[in-house]
Each structure stands twice: as C-alpha cells, then as structure tokens.
Amino acid sequence: MANYNPYENMLQTLDLAADTLGIPRNDYEVLRHPEREMNVAIPVQMDDGHVEVFTGYRCQHSSVLGASKGGLRFHPDADENEVRALGAWMTIKNAIAHLPYGGGKGGIKVDPKKLSERELERLTRGFVRKIAPIIGVERDVPAPDVNTNPQIMSWIVDEYSALTGQWTPGIVTGKPLAIGGSLGRNEATGRGCMFTLLSYLEKQGTSIKDLTIAVQGFGNVGSVGALLMHREGAKIVAIGDVHGSLYNANGIDVEKAYEYANSHGRSLEGYEEPGMTRIPNPDLLLLDVDVLYLAALENQVNEANMKEVKAKLILEGANGPLTKDADLYFFEKGIPVLPDVLANGGGVVVSYYEWVQNKAGFYWSEEEVNEKLAKNMKKSFEEVWAMQEEFKVYPRLAAYMVALRRLVEALKIKGYNG
Ligand code: GLU
C-alpha cells in the first residue's frame, strides 16, 4: 500500500490518546520525535570472496523511562521508517508493562535465508561494531525479532564483549541459556499472547476450550502461541507461514507441526497430516473462526481485505498487523482487537527478567519466570481494560492512554528533557 506509514499511524493514535486524557501537546511533544537514529553500512566479505555492503538501522525512540529496549529484525523490507514505528511501539509496550525501559528497534535490510551461517555471523558482528557506540546495558539493549534468534544474540554478546574487553551478557536479551539467557524467554511472547487471550475470555465468561483459531505466522510467536493455546483446549484449524497455509476443520495436530517446524529450520514447508488441505495464504485471514491470531508482519489486515475478515476476535502477536483503518473498522463492527502493545509484551517482559538476572548474576527457575510473567500480563491487561471501560474507547487507544500517562508523569518529573 503506497500510503502505508506506520509511524504516522502511531502519531495519530498517540495524539488521540492525549486528547482523550486531556494531556496538552506540550506535555508529550518529545514522544512524537525519535530520540536518536543511526543508519550504518556493514561491509561483509561473502563466502565466494566478493564484498557486499548491507544497510543496518537502530532507532532509539525514547529513553524517558530507561534504556531503549527492543528487537532487531533481519528482513528485506527493513528500513528507517519501519524501524522508527517499531521503536515507538516498544516505548508504548514497555511503559504498559511497567518496565524500566524506553523503546527502540533495529534491523538490517537482508534476506538471511540467502546467507550462509558464516556470512550471517560476519554480518551480525559487523553490525555490532557499527552500533557499539550507541548501545549499552544502561543505554540500549537489543533482542530477537523477525528472523533473528538466540544464536544471533550470542554473536552480539561475544562481539560487544570483545570490543569492550568485558563480559557483558546484559547488552542483549533472548540469549541461549548457556551464555546468560533466561529460562522461559523463548516461549515468552507466545505465552504472553495466550495469557492476554485468557484474561479477555475470563471477562467474557467464556473458555478457550474448543475455540477455533487461525494462526498467521509460524515463527517463534505463532508456533509457541498456537502450541500453548492448543494445550489449553483450543482448536487450531489453520496455520501458515511464508511457504503456505494449512487448514484442518478438525484441528491441526499442533504438537506434530511444532516439532516439524523446529526440526526444519522453523519452516512448515513439506509438512503433511491426515485431513489437512492447503489454502492460499490470503485466505487464512478470511476464515470463519473465533480468533484470528496474527503472528507474522505488519500491515496484514488493511483496507483491501478488512471487510472480508470473519473472525470474532483478533489477537496481535506481531507488531502492527492491522492498519489504522482496519483497527477503526473492527471497532465500529464490534470486533475486539487485543493489541500488540499489550498482547505481545510477554517477550520483552521476560527480556527484562533476563537483563535483571544478568545484572544480578543470579538465575531464576522457569516456574519463577512464568509466574512473574503471568502476574505482569494480568496487571497490564486489567489496567488497559479499566481505561477502556472508563473512557469507552477501543483497546489499542486504551493501551496507549495507559502508556502515555506513565510517560508524561516521568517527563514532567524530568523537566521535559526526555
Ligand atoms: N522483538 C520483541 C518485541 O517486539 C521483543 C523485544 C525485546 O525483548 O526487547 O516485543
């Protein structure tokens, strides 16, 4: 879509949140501007000897509440606009979750599937050397996002530690356990999405048992979320990734599909099970299901397809999967949307726990992590819910209002210096 500008959408929602709360522009103007942005050129000697130069980005949208915090994505569509919007959403998300963090996001414009393992490592280490001057344990802490994983995080720690001459596990979160990762981090985003859904269903007095769910995206967020919801009794009737979408009216065997994807480079390509049919990817979004769980990329439901969506509830595992028009359309139609900045906050919440454990040098059990995560997600949900009830606004706006109040309070105390 030519005029799709996610940062502009973020600003409109932020302004509306401020208007609704009666917060004057002066009190939050700083949040409308990304605090610091860096574009870097990363030369990589490819395996065949030729040199390619990749472009990388890091946007530190805000440090009002603490170090900028947010993931890194490796994707052909990554650019400064995308990273800017994603960084701002992290500011909102981290504020909702009561984390002592501002927000940021980074990325490299690359299709990592076209790189060998060694090329990917050289690219990651090259990126770290370029952004090292602006990141830091108390400054800006990256993490995994689309197409990045614990292995990539470990190269980041290793390179940064070598550069600074000091073992610094807290420079990045989402690390493998062996080098200071946290138990439960890998599953945290999907688990948090499930907690948000359960909190919502509890308010409705309904159960997750036998709810039909279609899942777009089968990476970390989609696959773990689908698996946990399936284990709670939901019927996952469709799953899909870039390779195609699978439909089974009797419910996909999610345990089997999860195992398969894990042992096939997180891909569903070639997966088969009895009773399953293949459907075109755009059709997955239009299935007549109770819940549409969006766990792929932004801008998936928009003016072109929003009117054909038949789901009764939308759960945002991805960041920004709905355009603003789609958001408003669903609000008018009475179709609830559990928004990204609330629903997918589980990942960064456990990133925070990982960072705390790194700083303390003392590690928690998985039960402890999951219990704390459950409490945090419940609290955030209740605060957003209360805001929504009080002002009769749609959930995303209520979520922004919760965040904005917190951010403005800090801004005022700091003398608006951001
Ligand atoms: N990339 C994830 C997100 O969008 C996690 C960020 C983090 O853990 O810092 O929320």
Side-chain angles (χ1 to χ4, degrees):
M1 222 174 305
N3 57 1
Y4 169 67
N5 184 337
Y7 192 76
E8 207 43 55
N9 287 352
M10 186 289 296
L11 287 180
Q12 287 172 13
T13 313
L14 191 71
D15 290 345
L16 193 54
D19 275 356
T20 314
L21 286 169
I23 295 176
R25 181 83 168 239
N26 197 47
D27 286 8
Y28 74 100
E29 178 65 34
V30 63
L31 299 171
R32 304 182 85 261
H33 306 265
E35 215 172 284
R36 183 181 290 119
E37 293 180 307
M38 193 177 209
N39 291 0
V40 297
I42 315 153
V44 177
Q45 185 162 30
M46 307 303 275
D47 292 344
D48 67 3
H50 87 279
V51 173
E52 239 173 81
V53 180
F54 295 88
T55 311
Y57 313 89
R58 185 74 188 167
C59 167
Q60 298 171 341
H61 174 262
S62 172
S63 64
V64 171
L65 295 177
S68 301
K69 180 88 189 82
L72 283 178
R73 63 172 54 181
F74 288 2
H75 196 275
D77 293 337
D79 64 20
E80 50 266 86
N81 286 324
E82 188 190 60
V83 152
R84 188 176 296 144
L86 289 161
W89 291 334
M90 288 309 301
T91 300
I92 305 290
K93 191 186 301 185
N94 294 338
I96 292 170
H98 288 266
L99 304 182
Y101 288 144
K105 197 73 138 208
I108 301 178
K109 197 180 219 20
V110 61
D111 181 355
K113 288 174 196 83
K114 294 199 175 131
L115 265 53
S116 71
E117 179 89 349
R118 292 279 75 85
E119 288 168 343
L120 194 59
E121 177 176 351
R122 287 196 286 272
L123 175 65
T124 305
R125 289 181 184 275
F127 182 57
V128 174
R129 288 193 294 274
K130 290 285 152 64
I131 64 166
I134 63 162
I135 61 172
V137 180
E138 307 294 343
R139 211 179 272 159
D140 183 5
V141 183
D145 197 78
V146 174
N147 290 337
T148 53
N149 55 31
Q151 173 62 71
I152 291 174
M153 299 306 114
S154 64
W155 292 326
I156 296 178
V157 179
D158 190 60
E159 190 67 25
Y160 188 83
S161 299
L163 281 172
T164 54
Q166 230 180 75
W167 176 235
T168 318
I171 186 59
V172 74
T173 57
K175 299 178 290 294
L177 290 180
I179 55 161
S182 174
L183 288 162
R185 173 61 185 87
N186 212 32
E187 298 78 24
T189 313
R191 177 167 278 127
C193 287
M194 185 190 66
F195 286 151
T196 305
L197 177 64
L198 291 177
S199 295
Y200 175 81
L201 295 173
E202 197 184 314
K203 293 279 180 206
Q204 304 306 308
T206 52
S207 143
I208 192 170
K209 295 253 176 322
D210 299 323
L211 275 192
T212 55
I213 304 183
V215 184
Q216 188 206 29
F218 213 64
N220 175 273
V221 180
S223 66
V224 174
L227 184 68
L228 296 177
M229 292 178 221
H230 163 80
R231 286 182 183 163
E232 288 290 315
K235 197 196 272 186
I236 312 295
V237 293
I239 55 178
D241 67 11
V242 282
H243 302 291
S245 294
L246 317 172
Y247 177 76
N248 190 341
N250 297 319
I252 299 274
D253 184 345
V254 186
E255 302 277 353
K256 193 173 148 198
Y258 182 81
E259 276 303 309
Y260 182 92
N262 264 353
S263 51
H264 290 79
R266 281 217 181 270
S267 160
L268 284 169
E269 198 174 12
Y271 176 74
E272 293 288 345
E273 66 175 46
M276 170 207 105
T277 52
R278 291 186 186 279
I279 56 171
N281 272 351
D283 292 4
L284 181 143
L285 301 173
L286 313 180
L287 289 170
D288 190 358
V289 286
D290 295 310
V291 181
L292 179 58
Y293 177 39
L294 297 171
L297 289 168
E298 56 270 28
N299 189 21
Q300 297 300 297
V301 180
N302 49 47
E303 296 88 293
N305 59 0
M306 65 192 186
K307 294 197 173 129
E308 292 169 81
V309 169
K310 293 168 211 71
K312 295 172 192 70
L313 171 73
I314 293 170
L315 174 61
E316 293 189 335
N319 292 310
L322 305 188
T323 61
K324 194 159 157 287
D325 293 307
D327 215 19
L328 293 177
Y329 174 77
F330 291 131
F331 180 52
E332 278 160 19
K333 283 269 159 199
I335 298 171
V337 174
L338 300 175
D340 47 10
V341 287
L342 171 68
N344 75 23
V348 72
V349 168
V350 177
S351 274
Y352 165 59
Y353 299 155
E354 180 176 332
W355 182 79
V356 168
Q357 293 172 77
N358 292 152
K359 280 160 71 105
F362 178 76
Y363 288 83
W364 312 346
S365 69
E366 189 161 2
E367 292 70 48
E368 233 173 316
V369 170
N370 289 344
E371 236 170 70
K372 285 191 168 68
L373 172 65
K375 270 196 198 144
N376 181 301
M377 298 293 301
K378 181 85 188 154
K379 186 171 179 198
S380 303
F381 180 88
E382 290 298 338
E383 285 175 355
V384 171
W385 185 266
M387 190 68 93
Q388 190 183 322
E389 295 287 289
E390 186 184 342
F391 288 87
K392 303 285 169 238
V393 292
Y394 56 102
R396 190 183 319 277
L397 184 56
Y400 271 61
M401 287 161 70
V402 168
L404 189 63
R405 256 198 192 152
R406 211 153 279 154
L407 286 156
V408 165
E409 189 190 340
L411 271 170
K412 279 191 177 170
I413 292 166
K414 286 173 145 189
Y416 301 102
N417 294 325

